[in-house]
Amino acid sequence: MFVKHGINSGFSSLASSAVLRRQHFLIRSLGGYTDNTHQTRMEGVKCFSGGASLEADAEKVLRAITPSLDPTKYKGQAGKSPQAAGLVVVSSCFFLRIEVEVIGGFKNDEYGKIAVIGGCREYTGAPYFAAISALKLGADLSHVFCTEGAAMVIKSYSPELIVHPIFKESYSISDVDDEGRRHISKKILAEFGKWMERFDCLVIGPGLGRDPFLLECVSQIMKHARQSNVPMVVDADGLFLVTNSVDLVSGYPLAVLTPNVNEYKRLVQKVLGCDINDQDASGEVLSLSKRIGGVTILRKGKSDLISDGEIVQSVGIYGSPRRCGGQGDILSGSVAVFLSWAREHILASDGKPIISSKNPTVLGCIAASALLRKAASRAFEHKKRSTLTTDIIECLGQSLEDICPAS
Amino acid sequence: MFVKHGINSGFSSLASSAVLRRQHFLIRSLGGYTDNTHQTRMEGVKCFSGGASLEADAEKVLRAITPSLDPTKYKGQAGKSPQAAGLVVVSSCFFLRIEVEVIGGFKNDEYGKIAVIGGCREYTGAPYFAAISALKLGADLSHVFCTEGAAMVIKSYSPELIVHPIFKESYSISDVDDEGRRHISKKILAEFGKWMERFDCLVIGPGLGRDPFLLECVSQIMKHARQSNVPMVVDADGLFLVTNSVDLVSGYPLAVLTPNVNEYKRLVQKVLGCDINDQDASGEVLSLSKRIGGVTILRKGKSDLISDGEIVQSVGIYGSPRRCGGQGDILSGSVAVFLSWAREHILASDGKPIISSKNPTVLGCIAASALLRKAASRAFEHKKRSTLTTDIIECLGQSLEDICPAS
């Protein structure tokens, strides 16, 4: 589509496209995120103060951002409000992409679409969990971009997903020279580029693995997503990548990192240059986020801590004592959906959202964290020690329904 | 079977077969569809008039065309009535194939068979949804013809389907020269040709993709299906193909196109040379159908609009506000089944069908649209925002049972 004449990467032509020129113009003319003060951005949400974090009113957030279902919408429009369709003035750079869509007129039929980038020779469950969770919450379409070897297995888990076998790992191109690898890499980026603009959010990392060639391709994709103002949720091996190359997300307000204890520890060591300090967990996550230029961080733990460098929120609703692997994948897929809905909610409310926060990444994290906990609790009630990730996913719908009924 | 001595394509021998000569004779002697007036064709169905479309009595259509289950029938006869077996005089070219089957005597054991042509490297869910929906409604056998890469995955979704890995995509024959490609193409067409006559309806397009080599093969199959008077439901990437080559279906009364909003827009732009006009949606779909020579169009939307160039019917039964991807695949598979049953119903009633419409494609569309909506509504009642295509498919049977109990 727009990837035709790339020189340094498959995406370079985008940088000179009319779409991007409009985005740059809008960033300059609207001033962007940093013009909004802490007070105006999070007025209605309890804020971090004095070294302690405050529990978010997660149910209120969930009720506010979860869209009502509208029979006049068609596939791909889940969460797209009639108001948003005509909106041409926005109040922060969080919304530039949506705005450009409206101005550019090339995306008004494509909402409710999530893409998971992950799945390799070793891991196939994680990207499936993330992608299917997005669908179960209400996304219209959920894609997975993975290696050729993983695709067939992920496809077989569910016909509901669209799975693209575009990536290669080093072992499968061991006899290819550097020039050949550059060619393969360029082809992969071009292939992904055909889809990029269609997605409301990317989830980068579930089951991605750590193959150097694959990670280099994903780095390029992240750079492009950022150029295009596509939100990104980064988890698991995506965090390994980001910890080693913080610049990939640094200063990008539409990026969310969702580290667990160990991933968080490595991130703190790399970025803050110290060991984690549980005595001031809130202050630390705030500092970490600030140091990475306002990227939103969801630190998973007994209570999840969420910060965008200006505030800290926590979600401590009781979930489940069961620690089956895969819950992080549910969370990352859910953040992607709720983040997209939060952007829509704020846009649709024309500057007067029910929740007065204007940072959709924070709202998305609060909602996803709370819902996962509720679903885990519900699943544990029935399955006890046998509770698996699949059981929790099956409880996502009813848990959301309990808080904000669909009709 | 009939593909033995093809010169230009795998199907060319059919053109000179006794079967086809009979068909041509019958078309000439019976006058075909255009001799039937609007009044005689759609007497019992409310008709389009004065720029407004009228809601079809969809439940009446469903009850009329859904065959009663007869313990004396055997596999492949779902929907075949005892009367039809002996029928030798028909009143319109819609039924030529059935007539020829009876005269030729080579097909009287093969009813209730649907084939879906789709499934490629990227898409495997869509053809599965279409094919399994046909089975869940009551088709006896449901086949999928797809690429080699997709077949294994589609097979893994369900042991109920018969999946033929016959197609190839350009990437898998990148080192083959033109002569080699022609050979492969001919082989594919011959392989499909062995099955063609056994099917009551083809569904062309779900998950087909847009690979040029694959689309060229499918074009050839469509030409052959038309020569053989096999009905075709064209959806998704099949509509991409048809929009670029309208001649493939133009003037073929047994073709049904099922475009969504965007596919319809492209079709209107190509065929009518203008943008869509929602102020006169009924008039537009009528004109579009007329311009394509009476091909039946089911325009999906809040209300589905159905036209064969002579009348417009609408189905506006409330379905579900959930817009998960895959509902279009259920619809295309369902149209295939109901269209086949409608032909049977009209044949069996010996010119006096309960529904006096004599256009089975329109009746098939009305029935499929209504049933999908009822199933979607039922699924949404239980699953709310988590409703996925699989959930809707699970409700097809009970929804049909509510309207016309099997026993």
Side-chain angles (χ1 to χ4, degrees), chain B residues 63-214:
Chain B
R63 272 189 290 269
I65 67 176
T66 302
S68 59
L69 292 175
D70 181 343
T72 65
K73 287 177 185 170
Y74 50 88
K75 186 179 72 184
Q77 283 193 314
K80 186 178 173 74
S81 62
Q83 298 94 311
L87 192 78
V88 289
V89 179
V90 293
S91 59
S92 118
C93 74
F94 290 129
F95 314 113
L96 277 175
R97 184 162 159 269
I98 291 176
E99 181 183 43
V100 171
E101 286 153 10
V102 174
I103 293 173
F106 64 90
K107 177 124 186 333
N108 65 354
D109 60 339
E110 292 171 353
Y111 268 81
K113 290 190 178 179
I114 303 300
V116 177
I117 296 174
C120 62
R121 190 164 82 141
E122 279 171 335
Y123 306 113
T124 50
Y128 163 74
F129 289 142
I132 200 79
S133 297
L135 279 183
K136 291 275 186 180
L137 286 181
D140 288 351
L141 291 168
S142 195
H143 293 240
V144 176
F145 290 83
C146 60
T147 65
E148 290 169 344
M152 205 171 286
V153 176
I154 300 173
K155 284 171 186 285
S156 77
Y157 291 147
S158 169
E160 311 280 355
L161 305 179
I162 301 167
V163 184
H164 306 256
I166 67 166
F167 292 115
K168 286 183 187 291
E169 288 177 87
S170 300
Y171 79 89
S172 68
I173 50 168
S174 57
D175 55 348
V176 179
D177 65 10
D178 285 355
E179 180 55 30
R181 285 177 180 232
R182 274 193 292 276
H183 178 72
I184 292 170
S185 169
K186 202 168 159 182
K187 214 170 134 194
I188 290 170
L189 300 178
E191 182 67 20
F192 187 79
K194 289 192 287 188
W195 291 91
M196 170 74 90
E197 289 288 330
R198 306 186 190 189
F199 298 122
D200 297 303
C201 190
L202 307 182
V203 181
I204 294 170
L208 184 60
R210 296 187 179 184
D211 179 75
F213 179 78
L214 178 49

Side-chain angles (χ1 to χ4, degrees), chain B residues 365-379:
Chain B
C365 287
I366 292 169
S369 168
L371 197 76
L372 169 59
R373 284 160 181 263
K374 286 186 176 283
S377 167
R378 180 183 283 265

Side-chain angles (χ1 to χ4, degrees), chain B residues 41-56:
Chain B
R41 287 178 52 231
M42 296 299 287
E43 271 165 11
V45 181
K46 291 173 192 167
C47 299
F48 163 76
S49 67
S53 70
L54 291 176
E55 185 74 7

